[in-house]
Every structure is written in C-alpha cells, then in structure tokens.
Amino acid sequence: NWVKAVFILILSPCVFLTLDCVDDAEILDKYGLDPIQVGVALVAIVAAAVFFLRGDSETEEEGKLELHPDHVEFMKKKEEEHCSGNFGKGLRCIFDFLREEPDDVTKKVFAEKSKYSEGFELYAIDIHPAQFDWFEEKGVTLSTTEGEEYKEISRVSRACLDWAMRHEGEGNSQDEVVYEIIRCLNC
C-alpha cells in the first residue's frame, strides 16, 4: 500500500546516510549535494506523494450499487443521449435533479414502487461527496455492516431509475429537466 511505500522512501535514504561504514559527506560531495538539499528534496517528494495519492475531499467516491441490468441499460441510453462521460452520470443527474426539488418530491421518488425484486448485479458508480451529504440529509446513509455498505443507496438508486423509467413509459419523460436543465451539479 502507498503508506508503506512512502515510509520506505523516507527511511531508505535516512538509513543509508546514517551508516557508520560510509562517509556521508564524501558521497554527497561527489555528486555536488548538500545534506540540507537532500533533506529538503526528500520532504518535497514525500509531501507530493501524499498529496497526489490521497487526493482531495471533492473526489468522487466509487459505490458498489446493486442495480438490475434493465436499470443499467436505461441509464446508458440516457447517458448516450444527454450526458456522455463516465458510467453512472445518468443516475447522478437524477440525484442532482432531486437535490433541487422539494422534500415531498424526493420522498415520493425514493418510495417509488420497485419494478424488480431480483436479478440485481453490482456496478461501480461514482457518487460525488455533495451527493453523499445530500443522501445523509435525507436519511439515506452508508451501512456499517460489512458487505451492505451501499444497500440503502442501492435501493434509492433503483427507485430513482424506476421513477424515470415509469415516467418515460407513461409518455411523461423528465429528460429535459433532469438531463438538460439541471444536468449534473458536480460534473
């Protein structure tokens, strides 16, 4: 893991430079280096490695959502038509549409009758931190039970897709608002 790699990067030169059998100053002088320069360079390398490997707090988090293959087919169709990018953007657009809607609309969508009760498969879908925050405000949280972390978010995601699919089937597609006007607030 990256933490071990960083410690190895830090400790290897330190061990090398402190060995009694090697004259540190001669080695560094041979290459025209000052011990302070070497120390500063090591600190800069470690800081850069931690920064780039850690990322920042606005990075998307990948969720393992359980969706029916028909949900995925519908979502991919919408992504091709309106918001091509990475897989899952069609679902994130629905989340962002609901973030702009009153609570009663969100509650109705989250309570949408499930079209499928089995045949779900796991899909890796990026969810933005602001969307996780919004889910939490709505009482939808990650589970602390191992293997079920995304169970409730999966249920809500299926409800969102069922809602969109039902509206389209009834000839009342919400695509204009969901994918063109609101689109994706974090994309």
Side-chain angles (χ1 to χ4, degrees):
N1 89 25
W2 71 270
V3 174
K4 289 179 185 175
V6 169
F7 281 123
I8 290 170
L9 276 173
I10 293 170
L11 295 177
S12 295
C14 294
V15 170
F16 173 75
L17 292 175
T18 57
L19 291 174
D20 289 333
C21 63
V22 178
D23 185 4
D24 304 335
E26 282 181 23
I27 293 172
L28 294 177
D29 281 342
K30 182 178 177 182
Y31 295 102
L33 298 173
D34 180 307
I36 293 174
Q37 290 173 326
V38 172
V40 170
L42 286 173
V43 170
I45 290 169
V46 170
V50 169
F51 177 78
F52 287 112
L53 293 174
R54 178 185 58 97
D56 64 76
S57 62
E58 290 302 311
T59 302
E60 299 169 352
E61 184 173 326
E62 191 175 89
K64 301 291 185 190
L65 301 183
E66 289 183 331
L67 302 174
H68 192 276
D70 290 350
H71 289 135
V72 174
E73 183 180 329
F74 175 82
M75 183 174 55
K76 285 182 176 180
K77 178 181 149 205
K78 295 303 171 187
E79 290 170 357
E80 286 175 20
E81 293 173 11
H82 302 283
C83 56
S84 61
N86 71 345
F87 174 68
K89 189 169 182 177
L91 181 59
R92 289 193 307 275
C93 287
I94 297 173
F95 296 160
D96 286 340
F97 162 75
L98 291 173
R99 286 170 60 189
E100 299 295 311
E101 292 295 303
D103 283 345
D104 62 322
V105 173
T106 301
K107 286 178 186 176
K108 285 179 187 175
V109 172
F110 284 4
E112 180 78 19
K113 184 180 178 208
S114 182
K115 188 171 180 175
Y116 307 99
S117 59
E118 57 186 27
F120 303 127
E121 298 174 1
L122 282 177
Y123 295 91
I125 295 182
D126 295 332
I127 300 174
H128 293 283
Q131 292 170 329
F132 276 116
D133 293 343
W134 173 76
F135 276 130
E136 194 170 310
E137 290 170 13
K138 303 301 175 203
V140 178
T141 58
L142 293 175
S143 173
T144 56
T145 305
E146 188 173 334
E148 295 185 9
E149 294 86 357
Y150 290 90
K151 185 176 183 174
E152 185 62 9
I153 291 178
S154 291
R155 184 197 64 76
V156 167
S157 297
R158 291 190 301 269
C160 289
L161 291 164
D162 287 337
W163 169 84
M165 292 166 74
R166 178 179 58 81
H167 275 274
E168 185 169 278
E170 294 171 350
N172 186 22
S173 173
Q174 300 296 304
D175 289 1
E176 178 66 24
V177 175
V178 172
Y179 298 109
E180 298 299 328
I181 295 173
I182 301 291
R183 199 163 164 104
C184 190
L185 300 175
N186 300 105
C187 301

